[in-house]
Amino acid sequence: MDKPAMVYLLSDSVGETAEYVIKAVATQFRSPFEIKRFPYIKSIKDIEQAILMAKENSAIVAYTLVVPDLKEYIDQKSYEYGVEAVDLLEPLLNAFKKKTEEEPINEPMLMRKLDKKYFRKVEAIEFAVKYDDAKDAEGIMLADLVLIGVSRTSKTPLSMYLANKGYKVANIPLIPEVPVPEQLMNVSKKRCVGLIIRPDTLNEIRKERLKSLGITSDTAYVNLQRIFNELDYAEGIMKRIGCPIIDVSNKAVEETADYIMKVLNIERRI
């Protein structure tokens, strides 16, 4: 069996995408190919070692570097050593430059940074679903932020909105007949926000909620005195924790989220 031809892949990141490109090309040939990755190329020394190995093994060099000095050094050394070197990004970079009339940033690992943001968002959304509405009190100590308030104070939509910004959020409903989780009384006031609302506004929201469910509004859930009692109870818990309290009456979720990040001095993640 013929010895496989070698392709040395030099990348300033992991090199996964470039490997797929090389494999796609290799499938068009009957001769066997073997790919060896050289990830996280950061210096001239890294390049020197790879080019020398490529010369010794008669390998093709394919690279996906974006730093101009390193690209120039690969071209120079591969020419000196008689090694075939192919820049996989240059043709497309030039096409983008021509189309956008912009110069590329030439910063390594930007794709990896984007991936991290994406996976952080996915993880945060999964967290918000898992720890929504006090499903599991353990989430209180794991969360970046804990939202507390009576029913229908936008805790869930606010949790999901903040999750899309990369924050792990747990939310806990405050109900007079239900003891608050022990973990809540130990949470840092810098990681907790209390949500309050005007009684009349809450009354209307709850009426609309019951109507959408086809339930009569003649229940304690919409009773004004009951609502006053719930809000008093909730505010008492919030004051014991010492957390910021935000009135969400007639506020959009986005507005409340921005206010929370400002009050708690939270940096944007995504």
Side-chain angles (χ1 to χ4, degrees), residues 233-267:
Y233 169 76
E235 197 164 345
I237 296 293
M238 295 169 193
K239 288 178 178 177
R240 282 174 60 191
I241 296 171
C243 63
I245 300 174
I246 298 175
D247 188 341
V248 300
S249 305
N250 301 321
K251 277 190 176 70
V253 168
E254 298 87 347
E255 184 182 357
T256 304
D258 286 343
Y259 188 68
I260 286 173
M261 289 189 281
K262 182 179 179 181
V263 168
L264 295 183
N265 197 28
I266 298 175
E267 294 183 3

Side-chain angles (χ1 to χ4, degrees), residues 1-5 30-34:
M1 184 176 178
D2 293 339
K3 184 180 178 181
R30 294 186 178 87
S31 300
F33 280 84
E34 184 177 324

Side-chain angles (χ1 to χ4, degrees), residues 132-146:
D132 179 48
D133 207 28
K135 287 176 183 173
D136 186 344
E138 294 302 318
I140 293 172
M141 304 312 294
L142 301 173
D144 297 319
L145 181 63
V146 180

Side-chain angles (χ1 to χ4, degrees), residues 43-257:
S43 68
I44 286 173
K45 183 179 178 181
D46 295 335
I47 294 171
E48 179 86 37
Q49 291 174 344
I51 299 295
L52 278 171
M53 290 178 65
K55 179 183 179 182
E56 291 171 3
N57 292 283
S58 301
I60 297 171
V61 170
Y63 63 94
T64 56
L65 305 184
V66 294
V67 177
D69 289 348
L70 297 182
K71 291 171 60 171
E72 186 177 332
Y73 191 76
I74 287 181
D75 291 338
Q76 175 191 329
K77 282 299 172 183
S78 60
Y79 177 77
E80 287 179 12
Y81 294 157
V83 173
E84 184 75 28
V86 181
D87 185 343
L88 298 180
L89 298 182
E90 189 68 20
L92 199 53
L93 277 170
N94 288 336
F96 270 72
K97 281 172 62 175
K98 184 177 179 181
K99 188 69 177 177
T100 64
E101 298 183 350
E102 291 180 29
E103 288 298 317
I105 298 170
N106 294 328
E107 182 180 337
M109 296 185 68
L110 285 180
M111 189 65 185
R112 182 63 53 177
K113 290 178 183 178
L114 290 174
D115 287 346
K116 285 182 179 178
K117 288 183 178 182
Y118 171 76
F119 287 115
R120 181 189 293 156
K121 180 193 291 190
V122 170
E123 187 178 358
I125 291 172
E126 290 175 347
F127 186 96
V129 171
K130 182 176 181 179
Y131 296 109
D132 179 48
D133 207 28
K135 287 176 183 173
D136 186 344
E138 294 302 318
I140 293 172
M141 304 312 294
L142 301 173
D144 297 319
L145 181 63
V146 180
L147 304 178
I148 58 176
V150 301
S151 173
R152 312 313 296 174
T153 48
S154 301
K155 295 186 300 301
T156 296
L158 192 52
S159 295
M160 296 306 299
Y161 181 85
L162 288 166
N164 274 279
K165 299 294 183 182
Y167 299 101
K168 295 178 181 178
V169 184
N171 72 77
I172 309 295
L174 300 179
I175 306 167
E177 295 80 12
V178 180
V180 296
E182 181 182 340
Q183 295 92 331
L184 185 58
M185 305 315 297
N186 295 319
V187 73
S188 168
K189 62 183 179 182
K190 295 180 180 179
R191 293 196 300 112
C192 185
V193 172
L195 307 177
I196 60 171
I197 189 170
R198 289 200 307 267
D200 58 329
T201 302
L202 181 56
N203 177 259
E204 289 302 316
I205 291 173
R206 287 186 174 183
K207 282 181 178 178
E208 288 301 315
R209 174 59 175 164
L210 291 181
K211 189 185 295 183
S212 70
L213 296 173
I215 302 173
T216 175
S217 60
D218 186 21
T219 68
Y221 186 65
V222 295
N223 181 276
L224 264 177
Q225 186 56 54
R226 165 69 184 187
I227 288 174
F228 278 116
N229 293 341
E230 286 186 41
L231 292 172
D232 287 343
Y233 169 76
E235 197 164 345
I237 296 293
M238 295 169 193
K239 288 178 178 177
R240 282 174 60 191
I241 296 171
C243 63
I245 300 174
I246 298 175
D247 188 341
V248 300
S249 305
N250 301 321
K251 277 190 176 70
V253 168
E254 298 87 347
E255 184 182 357
T256 304

